[in-house]
Amino acid sequence: MKPVRETLLNRRSIRRYERRELEPEQLLFIYDAIRNTPTSYNGQQFSVIALTDKERKTELSEIVGQKQIKTCALFLLFCADFHKLNMAASLEGMQSPRFQDTIDGYTVGVIDAALAMGNAIVATESMGLGSCCIGYTRTCNPKAIARFFALPKGVAVVCGLAIGFPNEMPDLKPKLPRDMVIFGDRYRPDEEGMKEELKAYNEEIIRFNKQRSEGATDNEWISHILDYHREAAKHKLEDALKAQDFRI
Ligand SMILES: Cc1cc2nc3c(=O)[nH]c(=O)nc-3n(C[C@H](O)[C@H](O)[C@H](O)COP(=O)(O)O)c2cc1C
């Protein structure tokens, strides 16, 4: 088991995996780390669907268009889940207050599921395994994904996570400097200073990409992220959420 510091500071996304299954105790550790996630009200407003079957992973990989899903040993789908609590309410003959229809209710489900995914990533990394979040599982084709996983009403996809034995070790990506992420006391007031640091970080990413691709690409950070956002803004997830009975 790696020390916590190394586990957290040396993590990077791994997209190529050895064709090797996880040991049962590795699976159990990941699952127990997921179960012990802190959640709002201890309501545990999330569920995870685990996929190890080769054919199912191949089929899902084709729907999502991400081949890590096919080659990973374990694929986990993290969902916001109000179905279980709606069931619990009906067991007691009670009416659910429809928290899932509010922005805060949906956010609570997303936070719980995302924290569970974070726990899974740390557990995975600490055992020398690698992982890659797959957000396209939420956005690419919500109807097909809901059908594929037989999601009941009250369950919405948050993110997927591919896990496996690493078959690559890409360089750690440079991240924004500490004082662009963690502000002392109040939101950082010096916009000019922030702009300078953003510019410097953009340059750092250009250098990093150039070096990583041996000069083939010098992708910038800013325009690259804006392109992603431009595309992501086209996903109309409101309809997908409505179909899953989140009437926000
Ligand atoms: C919510 C979320 C969704 C992501 N979706 C994808 C994805 O669909 N495909 C992919 O290859 N990487 C995906 N990533 C991985 C990011 O690209 C990666 O974390 C980022 O580039 C930083 O690199 P690092 O993880 O190596 O530090 C996702 C990451 C997060 C947190």
Side-chain angles (χ1 to χ4, degrees), residues 206-244:
I206 292 173
R207 280 194 302 278
F208 174 78
N209 285 335
K210 227 181 207 163
Q211 174 203 336
R212 211 164 57 145
S213 64
E214 288 164 345
T217 156
D218 58 354
N219 269 344
E220 290 185 66
W221 178 66
I222 299 172
S223 63
H224 197 58
I225 302 303
L226 295 187
D227 284 346
Y228 272 127
H229 285 190
R230 203 164 289 118
E231 276 309 301
K234 293 179 192 160
H235 303 305
K236 295 287 174 224
L237 284 191
E238 296 82 354
D239 294 342
L241 283 174
K242 221 172 259 169
Q244 288 307 112

Side-chain angles (χ1 to χ4, degrees), residues 3 10 13 45 50 73 80 126 134 146 164 176 187 191 196 199 224 228 231 248:
N10 271 333
S13 293
Q45 292 94 175
S126 75
I134 315 272
L176 282 166
Y187 198 91
E191 293 232 339
E196 283 306 311
K199 219 188 285 173
H224 197 58
Y228 272 127
E231 276 309 301
I248 299 163

Side-chain angles (χ1 to χ4, degrees), residues 11-15 64-66 68-69 114 117 121 131-139 158-160 170-175 212 225 228:
R11 184 214 58 81
R12 68 211 69 192
S13 293
I14 299 294
R15 295 180 174 83
V64 180
Q66 296 273 293
Q68 304 95 294
I69 299 176
M117 187 168 72
I121 292 169
S131 69
C132 182
C133 304
I134 315 272
Y136 284 121
T137 324
R138 176 184 67 256
T139 53
V158 173
C159 199
D171 294 336
L172 277 178
K173 272 189 198 162
K175 299 289 160 66
R212 211 164 57 145
I225 302 303
Y228 272 127

Side-chain angles (χ1 to χ4, degrees), residues 25-38:
E25 56 274 21
Q26 291 179 314
L27 282 175
L28 287 183
F29 178 44
I30 295 168
Y31 294 165
D32 286 341
I34 287 171
R35 285 178 55 231
N36 197 28
T37 298

Side-chain angles (χ1 to χ4, degrees), residues 42-62:
N42 194 31
Q44 300 162 67
Q45 292 94 175
F46 77 97
S47 288
V48 179
I49 303 179
L51 212 60
T52 50
D53 180 77
K54 253 188 188 166
E55 277 175 26
R56 291 268 293 160
K57 281 194 286 115
T58 303
E59 198 184 329
L60 180 65
S61 153
E62 280 159 13

